[in-house]
Every structure is written in C-alpha cells, then in structure tokens.
Amino acid sequence: MQAYLDNAATTRVLPEVAEMMREIMVDHYGNPSSLHRLGLEAEKLVNQARERLAAVLGCTPAEVIFTAGGTEANALAIRGTAWMRHAEGRHLVTTRIEHPSVLQTCRMLEQEGWEATYLDVDASGTVDLAQLERALRPTTVLVTVHYVNNEVGTVQPISAIAGILGTGKRRPWLHVDAVQALGKLPVAVPDLGADLMSLSAHKVHGPKGTGALYARRGIRLRPLLAGGEQEFGLRAGTENVAGIAGFGLAAQLAEQSRPAAAAHMRCLKAEMGTRLTSEVAGCRVNGPPPEQGAPHILNLRLPGMRGETMVHYLEERGVYVSTTSACASRRHPVSHVLVALGLSEEEAACSLRISLSRLNSLEEVTYAIGLIRQGVSELGRFRGR
C-alpha cells in the first residue's frame, strides 16, 4: 500500500488537468501573442483560465497575473511594491514564520537599505495583532503575512489585519501568501481585504511551474522581468499556456469541491492527531490543535525520534511525509517555524509534517498511523541498544 501524505509540498495532478494540458501542448501550441489563428486559440485558453481564477477569488480577470509559481508571485508582490513605493517609505512588516520565499526576499531588501520588522507568534503560530499595530510606521508600505502556515497549518486573521491597516490612501498594502489556503479555505479577496495575494497551481492538483498574483485594481507594481508586455506588462515572457490552463481548471475544481473536501480532510486530520497523541507515548501536536487551523496540515513531535529518521522509515514502507517545508528541508534541517513557536532545536528536529489532500482516504491514514506507531517502537528499541 502507498499513502502520499506530503500534499503541502506538492499534490498529484488530476487526470482531467493532465489530459487538458497534453491536448494543449500537442494541438494548441501557438504563442498567445501571435496574431494568427493558433495564437488567438492560445490567448483564448489563457483568458479562460484567468476568468476561472478570478471567479474563485471574487475579483475581475484583469486583477489576475500569471507567474511561474508561488515564489515568483511573492517576489513580484514584495519587490514590486518596494520598488514602486520606495519614495513613500522603506519599511515593511512580516512574521517570523513566513515561507522562505518571503523571508529571504525581505532580507535581500534589508541588504539594499530597507528596514523590516518580523512579528512574533504565539505557541499556536498566530500573529500578535497588538504587536502589528505597534510595528506600523508612517514609512511602512507593505505588510506581508501568509494565510495558512505551510508547516503547522495556523490560519492567520487576515481580515483583522486588513482592518488594522485601514483604508487611507497612503496605508501599507496587505500582501497575503495564500498558497496553502486555496482549495481549503475561502479566498475571496473582497472578504479578506487583501491588496495582493499569491497562489500556486501544484498545491491544488495542478501543474508545477505555474502560479498567480492577485493585484487589486489601482495597485501599481514594478515588474521583476523586462522584455515583453505579457500579463499587463507585469510578467514578461511567453505564457506557459498549458500550465496556466491547467491551473485554471485545477483551481475551479478545488473551489467547487472545497466545502466537502475541507470537511473530509479535517476528519482525517482529527483521526490522525487523536490516535497518535493517545497511542504513542510523548507524541504532541505542534501549532494549533487538530480541530483548529487549516484542515490539511498536522505537525507532530515524537520525543527522542529524529523526524528525518522517521521520514525514511515510512518511505521504505510506502508512506510519504516530511519534516518541514520542502523549500527549506535540505538546507535548514531545523524548522525556523517550530523554533519561532517556542520549541527547542532538539524538539523541532523530532517533528513530522503530515499534509492531506481531498484524494486521501481513511484507509491510507489508518495505514500511516500504524506505521508511525510501529516505527516509534522499532526505532526506539534500536536507539536503546
């Protein structure tokens, strides 16, 4: 049996998405900027995907900019804002538990003379709103906070953050990294109050290498790339038509199934959290309790058991989980997120991230629970020799 439980890292592409992309690559391969029929066909496919994503976000198609993934969308939001608004101020605010693509972009801006404030979080990973209010300055031009933490599943109070930033003309813009929220939580931007929002296709059973940035009408960004007028002049380069079309379909399907899928994933998460914390001595949940947070991410601490050791033990038996963010796991074996939550480096190193999708079954979760319990017992005996 095989159980893929690393869906926060990436998801399996849906057959209907893959088939649509195959057909586009073989039969509709024109450049969307070309004036002939094949070009117009390709342009139509890009526009259809833009409309689908706009419907999910509750915005207009003109507010959707396709990118090569969530990382590029984050960079375009942060750097594009910084470059455009530098005359108004050179200060931005984020949290200590953001994705590396956000944190490293902020640090690069600091090297260029910007100031950044990194907000603390509590033991559940929730941002301190009072600290946010204190951190804001007249020179603050951007607040960037993720919607769902990619390691422990904390859901940040985005609407409350937007309320703190107010509605003034010179207020900081709010950028939301919603890569882990799409398909699991409502992402309608009018309700959330986001000015900018990053999304990624491969987290919702779409293709890798495709993402999008929502930019509210009236927002002006400076592009990262030059040399073309694609994507309203904000993302030069020939569009990845098949990837964009696949993203549009995957996002539409994810949103249509979201209420039932979220309930399904939350049941599986609760089963795993309840059984492992009661059946494995010392097992604890990192971050919010299983009944809270996003429905698909569960982070567990197994005292005395290195997370990496358990990852390989499970992998040999057909269960795939992770220790931390896939974008950080090779260079930074200790999670900066777990340390920010108050765990020691030793405790953080003894943690596992289990992440679900709507395609997982109770049978798979039950299989994984049994193997984790077995692994703790077997590897624990080995350690004691």
Side-chain angles (χ1 to χ4, degrees):
M1 184 173 184
Q2 178 170 301
Y4 181 76
L5 304 176
D6 195 17
N7 292 281
T10 195
T11 56
R12 179 161 60 89
V13 177
L14 292 173
E16 53 267 52
V17 172
E19 176 55 30
M20 178 195 215
M21 293 177 61
R22 187 206 67 78
E23 182 180 330
I24 291 172
M25 287 188 284
V26 172
D27 298 328
H28 306 287
Y29 48 82
N31 186 323
S33 297
S34 296
L35 299 179
H36 51 63
R37 180 178 58 79
L38 283 178
L40 296 177
E41 287 177 358
E43 182 185 29
K44 185 176 179 181
L45 289 166
V46 171
N47 289 338
Q48 181 187 52
R50 203 184 309 279
E51 290 169 1
R52 283 175 163 169
L53 203 54
V56 172
L57 297 174
C59 66
T60 67
E63 294 172 306
V64 176
I65 305 151
F66 286 112
T67 66
T71 292
E72 184 187 328
N74 284 340
L76 177 58
I78 298 169
R79 280 197 164 275
T81 298
W83 290 339
M84 182 58 68
R85 301 192 69 183
H86 67 93
E88 301 174 53
R90 295 170 70 86
H91 177 243
L92 51 88
V93 178
T94 187
T95 81
R96 296 189 183 280
I97 63 170
E98 297 299 310
H99 187 271
S101 63
V102 169
L103 291 176
Q104 291 177 23
T105 301
C106 291
R107 288 172 185 142
M108 290 170 70
L109 285 170
E110 285 185 284
Q111 293 171 1
E112 298 168 15
W114 282 72
E115 291 183 277
T117 299
Y118 299 87
L119 301 176
D120 297 321
V121 295
D122 63 19
S124 73
T126 305
V127 69
D128 182 341
L129 295 180
Q131 188 187 19
L132 168 61
E133 289 191 76
R134 293 193 299 272
L136 295 176
R137 310 173 187 171
T139 56
T140 307
V141 297
L142 182 71
V143 173
T144 173
V145 179
H146 56 200
Y147 194 172
V148 172
N149 180 264
N150 58 314
E151 293 192 30
V152 297
T154 307
V155 179
Q156 299 295 353
I158 299 300
S159 299
I161 292 172
I164 289 171
L165 300 187
T167 57
K169 186 176 180 180
R170 292 178 63 84
R171 67 176 174 82
W173 292 344
L174 174 59
H175 167 239
V176 178
D177 175 353
V179 164
Q180 293 292 346
L182 182 62
K184 287 86 177 180
L185 298 173
V187 291
V189 284
D191 298 334
L192 293 170
D195 298 296
L196 299 152
M197 180 179 284
S198 300
L199 304 162
S200 177
H202 75 106
K203 309 295 188 182
V204 290
H205 302 287
K208 296 174 181 63
T210 309
L213 178 68
Y214 158 79
R216 179 179 54 75
R217 190 173 66 173
I219 292 279
R220 295 179 61 212
L221 300 171
R222 184 173 294 183
L224 302 177
L225 305 173
E229 292 302 314
Q230 292 90 347
E231 296 304 302
F232 314 109
L234 287 170
R235 207 282 176 176
T238 304
E239 295 91 339
N240 173 7
V241 179
I244 288 171
F247 186 15
L249 178 58
Q252 183 183 56
L253 294 173
E255 179 62 16
Q256 288 173 348
S257 65
R258 180 175 55 79
H264 173 65
M265 289 184 283
R266 194 170 292 284
C267 284
L268 298 181
K269 176 181 171 181
E271 171 76 6
M272 183 158 271
T274 301
R275 287 194 55 189
L276 287 175
T277 53
S278 62
E279 296 175 13
V280 176
C283 179
R284 297 288 182 272
V285 173
N286 297 324
E291 66 274 15
Q292 299 176 14
H296 65 302
I297 297 176
L298 179 67
N299 198 301
L300 295 168
R301 185 162 76 251
L302 302 169
M305 183 70 58
R306 305 290 289 188
E308 186 175 347
T309 302
M310 181 59 77
V311 166
H312 293 306
Y313 178 89
L314 295 173
E315 171 200 353
E316 291 174 356
R317 291 155 181 81
V319 173
Y320 299 91
V321 300
S322 62
T323 54
T324 180
S325 162
C327 294
S329 60
R330 294 185 185 234
R331 293 183 57 191
H332 304 286
V334 175
S335 161
H336 70 285
V337 174
L338 297 181
V339 171
L341 264 59
L343 274 68
S344 67
E345 290 196 0
E346 176 62 24
E347 290 173 325
C350 295
S351 297
L352 278 183
R353 180 183 71 175
I354 297 163
S355 50
L356 305 159
S357 92
R358 64 184 189 270
L359 302 186
N360 286 126
S361 66
L362 179 59
E363 184 183 18
E364 291 173 330
V365 165
T366 302
Y367 178 60
I369 291 171
L371 280 180
I372 293 172
R373 193 175 54 206
Q374 176 183 306
V376 170
S377 175
E378 290 184 7
L379 295 172
R381 285 200 301 272
F382 181 78
R383 277 201 326 275
R385 290 178 184 173

